[in-house]
């Protein structure tokens, strides 16, 4: 990879250990391309950071030149194109150090959950990750983090002890509940509004194995499975974690047989307790509708990806979400009518999912944070793939219709990590309560008064 030779404007970046790239340089396209191919980035400069010092140098240069800054590790959350400005790529900062005695991990800015799982597994420890261990730890966590085992253990942000972060004034800071607590508060659920995280320290879970997987029924049984699951969620222990999904899977090699090309209704399950107890708990679901594929089994925690079978290859996607107050009968009717069998095989949304909230997700964190989803009983999200403009238009229409119809059952809020393309200020603010949003704006003003970090899902300074 060839790094750009410094010009007067880039001279302050000449000591960066990683490459400094401009459009047309070798490696530029690879560094700007994230997992979500719907957002095509075209920054003026890319700093490929190899450590915290590189991030400090990049932020100081940006502040001196008035250049707006964006950050990308894996690009799973890339739903907003970065046009001009500076992109800091942390993808090479993948170090994970585990303290087995303290059951903690120190995780660098570009590490994926798969790196945490690999480092923790020899010690019987695991990270509190989401549905794909290919996603980056830091970006996921500063957005709150809604993990597969959330009902059992809470939001991922709840497990963070401290951050090392470069604030927009170019200062490398350590922050926790006692040291700069307002900065610590904003980094746990407030996304990347107040600084660029270079590492974090978080708790690991002594859960080396779990009972989990998915039950798949043919799509024609979507309604009875949904109704049985919704009723079942009102009876299960807090530790039982699940999601109901309607899937229309394309006939591509990346999707395993026999699921490839099929229309499915699925319940994904994760239970960290005794497998026999878990099997007894899910028995009502196995009898609710004919199960065509049963993938529920005892597994290593490091094999968590087998539960949701998220895509492993980059793709252009439109995602959206809504936090739900409840799932009454008319909400189930609405969901089935719009996304179920009557919608047809050409319904453009690849996935429509409803996740069971509550349990530990409803409990306040030990240290105050900016997560605003603790009052939701369910969470709905969707994904549409955008291979061509006509399909993209159909995905957008279906998304707006679905969420418009489900809005009466919602809290009015989203989760910032899965909000989708951020719109105007009122739209962005929906990721938080009005009180938390106002506080985020004040904290943003204190740490980033010039709005240097203004790409993606940002809030404006006061």
């Amino acid at each position: 990879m060839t790094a750009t030779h410094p010009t007067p404007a880039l001279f302050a970046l000449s000591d960066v250990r990683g490459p400094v790239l401009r459009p047309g340089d070798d490696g530029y396209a690879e560094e700007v391309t994230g997992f979500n191919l719907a957002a095509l980035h075209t920054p003026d400069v890319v700093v490929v950071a190899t450590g915290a010092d590189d991030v400090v140098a990049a932020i100081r240069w940006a502040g001196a030149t008035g250049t707006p800054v964006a950050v990308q590790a894996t690009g799973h959350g890339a739903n907003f194109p970065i046009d001009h400005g500076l992109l800091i790529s942390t993808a090479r900062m993948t170090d994970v150090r585990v303290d087995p005695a303290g059951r903690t991990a120190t995780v660098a800015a570009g590490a994926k959950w798969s790196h945490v799982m690999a480092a923790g597994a020899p010690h019987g420890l695991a990270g509190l990750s989401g549905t794909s261990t290919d996603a980056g730890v830091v970006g996921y966590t500063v957005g709150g983090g809604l993990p597969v085992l959330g009902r059992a253990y809470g939001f991922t942000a709840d497990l963070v002890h401290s951050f090392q972060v470069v604030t927009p004034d170019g200062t490398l800071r350590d922050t926790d509940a006692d040291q700069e607590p307002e900065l610590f508060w904003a980094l746990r659920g407030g996304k990347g509004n107040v600084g660029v995280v270079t590492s974090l320290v978080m708790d690991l879970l002594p859960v080396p194995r779990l009972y989990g997987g998915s039950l798949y029924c043919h799509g024609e049984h979507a309604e009875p499975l949904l109704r049985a699951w919704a009723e079942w969620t009102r009876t299960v222990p807090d530790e039982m974690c699940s999601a109901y999904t309607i899937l229309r899977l394309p006939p591509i090699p990346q999707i395993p047989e026999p699921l490839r090309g099929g229309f499915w209704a699925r319940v994904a399950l994760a239970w960290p307790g005794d497998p026999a107890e878990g099997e007894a708990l899910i028995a009502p679901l196995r009898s609710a509708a004919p199960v065509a594929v049963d993938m529920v089994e005892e597994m290593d925690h490091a094999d968590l990806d087998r539960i949701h079978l998220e895509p492993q290859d980059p793709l252009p996607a439109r995602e959206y979400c809504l936090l739900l107050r409840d799932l009454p009968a008319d909400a189930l009717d609405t969901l089935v009518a719009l996304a179920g069998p009557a919608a047809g095989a050409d319904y453009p949304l690849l996935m429509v999912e409803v996740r069971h909230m509550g349990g530990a997700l409803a409990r306040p964190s030990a240290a105050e944070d900016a997560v605003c989803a603790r009052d939701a009983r369910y969470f709905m999200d969707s994904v549409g793939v955008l291979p061509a403009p006509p399909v993209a238009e159909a995905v957008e229409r279906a998304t707006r219709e679905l969420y418009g119809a489900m809005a009466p059952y919602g809290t009015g809020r989203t989760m910032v990590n899965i909000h989708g393309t951020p719109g105007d200020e009122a739209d962005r603010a929906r990721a938080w309560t009005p009180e938390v949003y106002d506080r985020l704006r004040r904290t943003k003003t204190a740490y980033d008064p010039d709005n240097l970090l203004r790409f993606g899902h940002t809030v404006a300074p006061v």
Side-chain angles (χ1 to χ4, degrees), residues 65 83 115 135 145 189 224 238 247 254 273 277 288 302 333 340 346 361 401 421:
T65 58
D83 187 20
H115 298 136
D238 287 353
L247 291 161
Q254 291 86 343
E277 186 179 354
D333 293 342
D346 58 349
L361 296 169
E401 181 183 22
T421 304

Side-chain angles (χ1 to χ4, degrees), residues 99-382:
D99 174 5
R103 293 179 177 174
T104 63
T106 302
V107 184
K112 300 179 179 182
W113 283 108
S114 57
H115 298 136
V116 175
M117 296 299 190
H123 310 288
L125 300 171
L128 193 55
S129 81
T131 56
S132 172
T133 61
D134 188 62
V137 174
V138 167
Y140 176 84
T141 303
V142 297
L146 180 57
V148 173
L149 290 173
R151 279 178 49 83
Y153 299 104
F155 291 96
T156 306
D158 296 345
L159 302 189
V160 176
H161 288 255
S162 63
F163 293 97
Q164 185 184 73
V165 56
V166 183
T167 46
D169 62 357
T171 302
L172 181 64
R173 304 173 189 263
D174 292 307
T175 178
D176 56 28
D178 300 315
Q179 186 174 357
E180 299 202 59
E182 192 69 9
L183 180 61
F184 185 63
W185 169 83
L187 288 170
R188 295 163 67 238
K191 206 56 178 173
N193 275 287
V194 292
V196 178
V197 172
T198 56
S199 68
L200 58 80
V201 179
M202 61 166 44
D203 284 330
L204 297 179
L205 306 173
V207 186
R209 292 182 65 78
L210 56 90
Y211 181 73
S214 288
L215 302 174
Y216 289 84
C217 299
H218 291 295
E220 65 198 68
H221 304 295
E223 182 171 0
L225 184 63
L226 172 60
R227 295 191 186 280
W229 173 79
E231 184 62 30
W232 176 81
T233 59
R234 303 181 189 280
T235 67
V236 295
D238 287 353
E239 293 76 18
M240 178 57 78
C241 309
S242 66
Y244 169 88
T245 316
I246 297 174
L247 291 161
R248 289 172 170 85
L249 300 176
I252 57 176
Q254 291 86 343
I255 295 173
E257 292 285 8
L259 303 175
R260 185 181 305 163
F263 171 38
W264 301 97
R266 176 185 76 185
V267 175
L269 300 146
W271 168 255
D274 177 67
E277 186 179 354
E279 185 169 2
L281 283 168
I282 72 170
L285 297 177
R286 283 197 167 110
S287 61
V291 176
V293 181
D294 189 331
M295 295 185 175
V296 182
E297 61 185 346
E298 191 175 359
M299 64 176 66
D300 290 340
H301 199 142
D303 294 329
L304 200 72
D305 287 342
R306 286 160 50 189
I307 296 178
H308 285 259
L309 294 178
E310 293 276 340
Q312 297 299 306
D313 297 314
L315 75 169
R318 164 71 156 107
E319 58 184 357
Y320 202 71
C321 72
L322 180 66
L323 291 160
L324 301 174
R325 289 180 284 104
D326 206 348
L327 271 180
D330 50 349
L332 302 180
D333 293 342
T334 301
L335 181 59
V336 170
L338 291 177
D346 58 349
Y347 186 69
L349 298 186
L350 172 76
M351 181 200 84
V352 177
E353 183 166 276
V354 182
R355 192 179 305 192
H356 190 199
M357 302 284 279
L361 296 169
R363 300 171 198 145
S365 174
E368 190 182 18
D369 61 26
V371 176
C372 295
R374 300 185 192 274
D375 60 340
R377 295 188 67 177
Y378 298 90
F379 172 77
M380 185 175 79
D381 67 311
S382 62

